[in-house]
Amino acid sequence: MTGSVTVIGLGPGAEDLRTPQATAALAEASDIVGYETYVARVPPRDGQTRHITDNREELARARHALTLAAEGRQVAVVSSGDAGVFAMASAVFEAIEHGDTAWRALEVRVLPGISAMFAAAARLGAPLGHDFCAISLSDNLKPWETVLARLRAAAGAGFVIALYNPISRARPWQLGAAFDELRKILPPATCVAMANAVSLPQERVEIVSLAEADPARADMRTLVLIGSAATRRVARADGGTWLYSPRSAPA
Ligand code: SAH
């Protein structure tokens, strides 16, 4: 049997935010490859082998998946959210581009998932209703100067910004530095949403202003959304707030 690699986005966490296509592909796989936390989200099945790897070893994990597929296995590579957003799908193609030419004959499929920014936006209202961009704050894979340049450009151009990977034990100061940089460009009243563990039981979603945004409020499962000048808060009758970006931009 020809081997295959299926790269699967598991969604933000809740079972019912995983697509039926992803669930079906997981049930068919002979091998599951991924970071421990994500593999743990796949229900174990008899006859299926689980390969757990360190989170930082993305390329090695991708090569491992391709090697298994070249041996005829049906391999599922799992990521959270959407596998193409700061996740394993790119690592698989990078491994194919630079690896064994036989890997190009494998069946490779990428199944979409609900990315954290979409799950967070839906909780908040509709903050991504107009032009937006996504930036990973991790400087493991790019220089910090590049992160700052992109933040300045995005804020200056009026994009709503979804910040992934805002903080980790190895990167404790980056989110504070990002807020400081954005405060040089955006008004203090700019809306900032901190969305933690969206769709999970521990979910916590807060809307603050850029002036009061506290980096200590974020953890490794936080999506930070920076509003644009057009992004609006609407008070709900129950004391909560909706956040949305209007469909049309001011001239
Ligand atoms: N491929 C994933 C992103 C991986 S990067 C996706 O499409 O969502 C990991 C980052 O995603 C985290 O640091 C956090 O910023 C965000 N994230 C993942 N799950 C989340 C959740 N349930 N709630 C909020 N943010 C989440």
Side-chain angles (χ1 to χ4, degrees):
M1 195 173 181
T2 311
S4 66
V5 173
T6 308
V7 195
I8 300 174
L10 298 175
E15 184 71 29
D16 58 358
L17 292 183
R18 179 178 305 173
T19 68
Q21 194 183 44
T23 302
L26 289 169
E28 283 165 15
S30 62
D31 296 77
I32 309 281
V33 174
Y35 172 52
E36 190 171 13
T37 315
Y38 306 144
V39 174
R41 280 167 48 184
V42 178
R45 192 172 63 75
D46 281 350
Q48 195 171 59
T49 312
R50 296 153 85 85
H51 307 264
I52 291 168
T53 52
D54 189 284
N55 202 20
R56 289 157 298 180
E57 292 298 322
E58 285 194 347
L59 260 181
R61 187 187 305 148
R63 286 191 211 103
H64 183 205
L66 289 157
T67 304
L68 289 168
E71 291 165 4
R73 318 278 303 172
Q74 312 303 312
V75 185
V77 177
V78 294
S79 283
S80 74
D82 180 275
V85 177
F86 307 126
M88 281 305 295
S90 297
V92 167
F93 292 109
E94 195 174 334
I96 291 173
E97 185 185 0
H98 302 291
D100 189 337
T101 49
W103 289 347
R104 296 178 187 226
L106 294 170
E107 189 194 327
V108 178
R109 288 193 304 160
V110 181
L111 308 186
I114 296 180
S115 190
M117 65 181 160
F118 300 131
R123 275 287 185 274
L124 290 156
L128 304 182
H130 202 75
D131 297 342
F132 68 91
C133 67
I135 298 178
S136 169
L137 270 199
S138 170
D139 55 351
N140 291 338
L141 301 171
K142 64 191 165 193
W144 179 245
E145 260 317 310
T146 302
V147 177
L148 287 182
R150 288 181 185 166
L151 282 173
R152 282 193 291 267
F159 287 105
V160 170
I161 307 170
L163 292 179
Y164 283 76
N165 297 310
I167 212 150
S168 77
R169 219 168 300 143
R171 296 181 295 100
W173 54 264
Q174 279 80 349
L175 182 60
F179 284 151
D180 288 344
E181 195 66 22
L182 291 169
R183 287 186 187 114
K184 295 179 194 163
I185 299 169
L186 297 169
T190 303
C191 303
V192 173
M194 308 276 249
N196 281 40
V198 175
S199 85
L200 293 163
Q202 321 84 288
E203 175 180 296
R204 209 155 63 101
V205 178
E206 263 173 32
I207 303 171
V208 296
S209 69
L210 181 57
E212 65 195 7
D214 176 8
R217 176 60 193 69
D219 63 22
M220 283 177 72
R221 270 200 309 200
T222 305
L223 193 281
V224 181
L225 266 179
I226 315 287
S228 71
T231 304
R232 315 269 311 148
R233 296 184 199 218
V234 180
R236 296 196 313 237
D238 67 1
T241 306
W242 286 305
L243 200 63
Y244 83 100
S245 301
R247 298 283 296 117
S248 57

